[in-house]
Every structure is written in C-alpha cells, then in structure tokens.
C-alpha cells in the first residue's frame, strides 16, 4: 500500500493568498492524502478540493491544541504539521515521506535557512535538502514538521501557543528516538502571521513547559543545551550561558536522491 500523508494546518486566516498558495501546492502532490485545516478564525472558508477538510471549532483552539486535534482526526500514519504562512517546493512531500519513520522522532525546519518574505507567494521547484540530527529545536523548528503518528505525544493543555515543538522533541528524546532538522531546502516564510499577538504568553507557558519536562532530580542537578543557551541546574538554582546556534550535527539522510 502506498504511503499517504495527513497534513494539519491551523489558521487564523491572516492572509488567504498565502494559505491558498500552500493548499494548491499540497493538493497537487500525490502522496498528500488529506489536508486538515483547523480554522481558528471560526469564519469558515471554501477550498474546492476533495483532499481538503476544514474543521471550524466553536472558538480559537490556539496552536498546540489544534495540532492535538488534527492528529486525532488524521486518517493516515504519516503526518505533516505546517504553518499557514509558508511556501514550499512543488512535490516536496513526495520526497520527505521517504524519510519519515516510526523509528525516529520529529523532522523539523531550520528557520535560519528560510527566506523571509512579506509580499506575494511564489512557486518553488527545487526540492533538494538534507536531514541533520539535532538534540533540540532549532529556530522556527515547528513551522513545518513531519513525523509518524507513533512519534506524536499529546501536548499538555496549558501549552497553547508555545513550546509544542519543544515538547515533541523532548518526548521523542525521552523515548530514545532521534530528531532531525531539514537543511538546505529553499522555502519562504511570510512572517509570524498567527502567533505574534500571543507573545505575552510565552513566559507563563515557559513555566508550564518546565513543569512538564523537569523532574525533581532535574531541578536539583541537570544540564541542558538549547539553541540559544547552556543551562546548568544545581540545587534548584539555574545558571544560563548564552550560546550561538552552532549545533554539532550529522548528515545521515536526505532528499537529494
């Protein structure tokens, strides 16, 4: 049986031109079996294609609960979780699906290699990329993620906007699965169309994230490396040292085939 992808896209309909361009790219890809759009604007919209299913909640679910809902609704075991404000190459999903496996964790995006744009969407045809192992989320990792259903762990309800991708990477590391980042792929990101208005929530959700991921022992004695900091915890006291995002990675597979 051929592999098929369920694509999950939460949206607030900040820019329908970008969203429609992305949907057109996805529906034309033969491995995309369905696209689940979570319309958090609650306004509703039409996209005339049998692959597209639009779910309109009673109120804005926010990002991470939308991911949880989309995965529960997905018909296929291979998943793509995408922002509504990106432009990806035609046929990219047909290549990346070969790298998705229940034996690995999350495949995310390196935001530093994206091209930021604020005007009309474009078509991209070059699907070349490589995957590199990473031990933490890179900048904009969650803008586009691919995974097997067995590598998705329901994100806690108090993490509504932030740290959903961090939580997924954490859980997969905890279950001894390696996570990867897509490098070298040309794609456009049109800016934070949905989440920037919620940025005041980040500190509160950071405390919730620590509650969900740090055991008592970790709080007393642990070391953690993120994309921006080294964090040392000793007897409940945290010491942080800033670092650049110069992670040690190993290229192990890729879409240049």
């Amino acid at each position: 049986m051929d592999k098929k992808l369920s694509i999950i896209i939460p949206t607030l309909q900040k820019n329908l031109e970008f969203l429609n361009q992305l949907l057109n790219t996805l529906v034309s890809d033969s491995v995309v079996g369905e696209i689940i759009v979570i319309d958090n604007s609650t306004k509703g919209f039409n996209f005339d294609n049998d692959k597209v299913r639009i779910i309109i909640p009673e109120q804005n679910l926010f990002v991470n609960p939308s991911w949880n809902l989309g995965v529960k609704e997905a018909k296929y075991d291979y998943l793509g979780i995408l922002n509504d404000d990106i432009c990806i190459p035609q046929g990219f999903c047909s290549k990346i699906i070969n790298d998705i496996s229940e034996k690995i964790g999350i495949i995310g995006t390196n935001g530093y290699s994206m091209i930021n744009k604020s005007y009309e969407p474009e078509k991209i045809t070059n699907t070349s990329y490589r995957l590199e192992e990473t031990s933490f989320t890179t900048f904009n990792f969650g803008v586009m993620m691919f995974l097997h259903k067995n590598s998705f762990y329901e994100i806690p309800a108090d993490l509504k906007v932030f740290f959903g991708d961090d939580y997924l990477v954490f859980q997969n590391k905890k279950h001894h699965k390696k996570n990867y980042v897509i490098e070298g792929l040309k794609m456009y990101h049109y800016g934070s169309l949905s989440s920037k208005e919620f940025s005041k929530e980040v500190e509160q959700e950071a405390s919730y994230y620590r509650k969900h991921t740090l055991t008592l022992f970790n709080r007393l004695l642990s070391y953690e490396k993120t994309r921006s900091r080294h964090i040392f915890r000793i007897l409940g006291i945290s010491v942080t040292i800033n670092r650049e995002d110069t992670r040690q990675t190993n290229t192990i597979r890729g879409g240049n085939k």
Side-chain angles (χ1 to χ4, degrees):
M1 182 178 177
D2 292 338
K3 293 180 181 178
K4 292 290 184 181
L5 268 172
S6 290
I7 302 291
I8 299 157
I9 305 175
T11 185
L12 283 171
Q13 294 196 51
K14 294 292 186 179
N15 191 310
L16 279 178
E17 184 181 9
F18 298 158
L19 177 57
N20 283 321
Q21 169 76 19
L22 177 60
L23 292 176
N24 280 318
T25 298
L26 292 168
V27 297
S28 67
D29 198 314
S30 60
V31 304
V32 174
E34 66 172 348
I35 304 166
I36 301 169
V37 178
I38 313 293
D39 179 19
N40 282 321
S41 75
T42 71
K43 295 184 295 188
F45 75 102
N46 294 315
F47 191 90
D48 189 17
N49 190 280
D50 291 340
K51 289 185 179 181
V52 178
R53 178 155 60 107
I54 299 167
I55 297 176
I56 306 174
E58 293 183 359
Q59 59 186 6
N60 184 1
L61 299 179
F62 300 102
V63 179
N64 299 326
S66 297
W67 293 357
N68 288 340
L69 174 61
V71 172
K72 288 177 182 176
E73 292 285 329
K75 293 192 297 186
Y76 302 104
D77 288 336
Y78 296 87
L79 307 174
I81 300 176
L82 277 61
N83 267 33
D84 65 347
D85 58 355
I86 60 175
C87 181
I88 65 174
Q90 298 278 337
F92 174 70
C93 289
S94 286
K95 299 191 79 170
I96 194 70
I97 197 170
N98 295 311
D99 289 313
I100 305 170
S101 166
E102 60 184 318
K103 296 180 180 179
I104 69 169
I106 312 299
I107 301 172
T109 315
N110 182 2
Y112 292 120
S113 64
M114 292 178 189
I115 302 170
N116 289 313
K117 295 187 67 174
S118 57
Y119 45 97
E120 73 281 354
E122 295 183 15
K123 289 187 177 180
I124 312 170
T125 57
N126 188 345
T127 58
S128 296
Y129 69 92
R130 65 186 184 277
L131 293 187
E132 295 186 350
E133 185 180 338
T134 185
S135 59
F136 46 82
T137 57
T138 54
F139 175 60
N140 276 345
F141 186 92
V143 164
M144 180 173 69
M145 299 184 294
F146 295 92
L147 64 153
H148 191 278
K149 258 189 182 180
N150 289 346
S151 296
F152 186 87
Y153 299 87
E154 184 168 357
I155 301 166
D158 51 10
L159 299 178
K160 295 186 180 300
V161 179
F162 301 99
F163 302 103
D165 53 350
D166 297 278
Y167 184 80
L168 294 175
V169 167
F170 169 82
Q171 287 292 347
N172 278 283
K173 285 172 59 179
K174 182 179 175 181
H175 288 83
H176 310 293
K177 290 185 177 182
K178 294 179 179 180
N179 300 291
Y180 297 93
V181 63
I182 300 167
E183 296 280 6
L185 178 72
K186 181 179 181 182
M187 62 179 291
Y188 295 116
H189 185 215
Y190 296 96
S192 184
L193 294 177
S194 300
S195 63
K196 63 184 177 182
E197 62 195 82
F198 308 117
S199 58
K200 63 182 181 180
E201 308 289 339
V202 67
E203 287 303 321
Q204 182 65 63
E205 293 199 8
S207 66
Y208 294 151
Y209 177 73
R210 290 191 292 270
K211 177 188 71 175
H212 292 300
T213 57
L214 289 178
T215 65
L216 176 59
F217 178 80
N218 292 145
R219 293 173 191 273
L220 294 175
L221 184 64
S222 65
Y223 163 71
E224 178 183 0
K225 182 171 71 172
T226 72
R227 67 173 178 264
S228 60
R229 296 182 296 173
H230 298 281
I231 305 173
F232 301 88
R233 299 182 182 91
I234 304 171
L235 300 179
I237 299 173
S238 295
V239 177
T240 62
I241 301 174
N242 291 334
R243 63 180 294 272
E244 295 181 359
D245 185 6
T246 53
R247 64 192 182 285
Q248 300 290 322
T249 56
N250 297 308
T251 304
I252 53 89
R253 56 176 81 191
N256 295 313
K257 12 184 201 233

